[in-house]
Amino acid sequence: MERRKFLKNSSLGTVGIVSASALASCKTENKPEAPMTISTPIRPITVCTWNFHNATAKAWEVLNSGGTSLDAVEQGVMVEEADVTNETVGKGGRPDRDGNVTLDACIMDKDGNCGSVVYLQNIVHPVSVARKVMEETPHIILAGKAAEKFAYEQGFQKEDLLTESTRMQYGEWLKTSKYETTINIENHDTIGMLAIDKNGDIAGACTTSGMAYKVAGRVGDSPIIGAGLYVDNEVGGATATGVGEEVIRTVGSFLIVELMRQGMSPQEACEEGVKRIMKKNEGRKDFQIGFLAINKQGETGGYCVHPGFTYREYTENGHDNKEVSSFYE
Ligand code: SD4
């Protein structure tokens, strides 16, 4: 793990544009890089883990028509929850080792309100149930069968989340797996999304079916406030992707936001978070772990132990819906 490669580039017509992160940090003599105040903050803006351009496009549509960051992140991640070709989120997500699709999701707003569902079955949009938990109950997390019952009470419909494809893959897995759960670095399509609206307010959401063929009952980081997602409207927001156990152990997203509070840029904070985890996992290459962050000024950063990690960023700042690569090797 001595070799570290940082690659940050963009596609889709962004050549020649200086990133907000670059503009926003300056090196002063004998001092580490310090964040500079940006006079014209970039907003609105939305970012999400991985290359989910339809999700950022949807979130952007909400922001661009004056919607709140909370509505934007909810509607943005719902695109992936409904997409059956995304086999780690919502409908079409891969099941646990007993063949049940169990979903985790959370959402957090500018005021620190948050809602979460864990081990939720038969509901396509766990993020919206999480929002209902936030808005309709005095609680933060609802789990399992009771969360499902709550969802029906709130008007959600029951739906089989297995598809022909995931059912068939599960059947194949059963033949060779010896019923053993392994950490699969290819299982990387969880969506975490952050947004800033026209008022400069930040919100975030995260949703997943978790690790494929996990032990039944397993809950990952994605629905855990502070681990898979954290927002502090004074500072910024962060979300995580990858092996949830590592993110929970380090309270990852909270860590990234606190590092930004102490003066790191989103990029620096994400790199520091990943490095801390890798230090404890020296030599391991069998898992991926990544963070995505945004600060109050609209600067973004992302970093992941996964060759080919990208995140999506959508702003009106001349580089609409761009893809950014940034990874640790
Ligand atoms: C989990 N963090 O359940 C999720 C999985 C993930 O990209 O992010 N995959 O551990």
Side-chain angles (χ1 to χ4, degrees), residues 9-15 51 312 319-324:
N9 63 26
S10 57
S11 63
L12 298 181
T14 63
V15 179
N51 196 18
R312 271 274 157 185
H319 41 85
D320 287 357
N321 215 355
K322 74 171 178 177
E323 184 182 357
V324 183

Side-chain angles (χ1 to χ4, degrees), residues 253-270:
S253 293
F254 181 74
L255 169 68
I256 303 303
V257 171
E258 288 307 301
L259 290 171
M260 291 194 290
R261 189 194 304 280
Q262 289 162 28
M264 285 192 189
S265 69
Q267 185 62 41
E268 290 166 338
C270 290

Side-chain angles (χ1 to χ4, degrees), residues 50 187-190 208 210-211 218 220-222 241-244 288:
W50 307 104
N187 187 28
H188 60 61
D189 288 347
T190 289
T208 189
M211 200 180 289
R218 181 260 189 190
D221 62 310
S222 304
T241 181
V243 179
Q288 52 102 11

Side-chain angles (χ1 to χ4, degrees), residues 187-198:
N187 187 28
H188 60 61
D189 288 347
T190 289
I191 183 165
M193 180 175 263
L194 304 161
I196 303 180
D197 59 30
K198 68 175 180 358

Side-chain angles (χ1 to χ4, degrees), residues 26 77-78 85 130 141 143 178 189 200 210 232 305:
C26 64
V77 303
M78 282 172 73
T85 65
I141 307 177
K178 303 191 186 80
D189 288 347
D232 182 325
V305 182

